[in-house]
Amino acid sequence: MMRAPLHLSIASRYSERSNQVGGYDMGPVNWLAVVLGAAAFFVVGMVWYGALFGKVWQKQVWPEGTPQMSGSPIVLFGLCFLAELVVSTMFGHMLARLQPPTHVIWMMAFGIGATIMTPAIAINYLFQRRSLTLFAIDAGHFIVGTLAMGAVFVALS
């Protein structure tokens, strides 16, 4: 028996009349949670790299002293927020697709920070010969930031 090529098989399972993919309905993305989740991640970063670990982090990144920054801080922080918005958008899309219970949202938020974002920076930091202290600060930010983002999704679900 001849089987359809994989791309045709996948395409045939998509129904244009609804958000149905492979027989499963995809709920709507909670765009308010996406934006507020990114904002929560951003606020965690402000506190994390400000009051909590700012001085230690700066010494780890710039051992000779903090350089004079060039460019607009508005652009810098805007791009950081945009990157966090990308993470939150993907998280919102996954939640809309899976429609998981609350405890799974928490597990997914932690999992993204701990098992995707943290190993990604570990790879870079290993090749850059960065310190374990810097890695711990940045990894902690990603884990706590994604948990804060997840908290917003839980609160608005």
Side-chain angles (χ1 to χ4, degrees):
M1 180 171 173
M2 252 346 234
R3 296 182 81 182
L6 182 59
H7 69 281
L8 293 177
S9 175
I10 292 170
S12 69
R13 286 186 271 167
Y14 178 76
S15 169
E16 291 192 25
R17 60 182 164 66
S18 71
N19 288 330
Q20 197 172 65
V21 179
Y24 298 98
D25 282 328
M26 181 169 145
V29 173
N30 184 338
W31 293 107
L32 178 62
V34 166
V35 173
L36 294 179
F41 201 152
F42 188 83
V43 168
V44 166
M46 289 172 50
V47 173
W48 201 263
Y49 294 108
L52 293 180
F53 301 105
K55 289 181 182 181
V56 175
W57 181 82
Q58 285 182 4
K59 285 180 184 175
Q60 293 296 311
V61 175
W62 302 294
E64 297 85 31
T66 306
Q68 189 69 6
M69 297 304 242
S70 62
S72 169
I74 293 171
V75 172
L76 175 66
F77 291 118
L79 290 172
C80 288
F81 181 76
L82 182 63
E84 290 159 341
L85 191 59
V86 169
V87 174
S88 190
T89 299
M90 187 61 207
F91 192 66
H93 175 77
M94 290 186 332
L95 296 181
R97 177 70 172 95
L98 299 173
Q99 300 176 14
T102 301
H103 75 282
V104 175
I105 296 172
W106 284 112
M107 290 169 53
M108 290 170 66
F110 176 79
I112 287 171
T115 69
I116 296 173
M117 297 178 83
T118 295
I121 61 168
I123 292 165
N124 285 336
Y125 283 13
L126 286 168
F127 280 99
Q128 294 171 13
R129 306 283 195 244
R130 297 293 190 142
S131 72
L132 182 59
T133 301
L134 180 62
F135 171 74
I137 291 169
D138 290 342
H141 165 245
F142 285 141
I143 293 168
V144 174
T146 54
L147 282 169
M149 178 186 69
V152 170
F153 279 92
V154 166
L156 296 177
S157 64

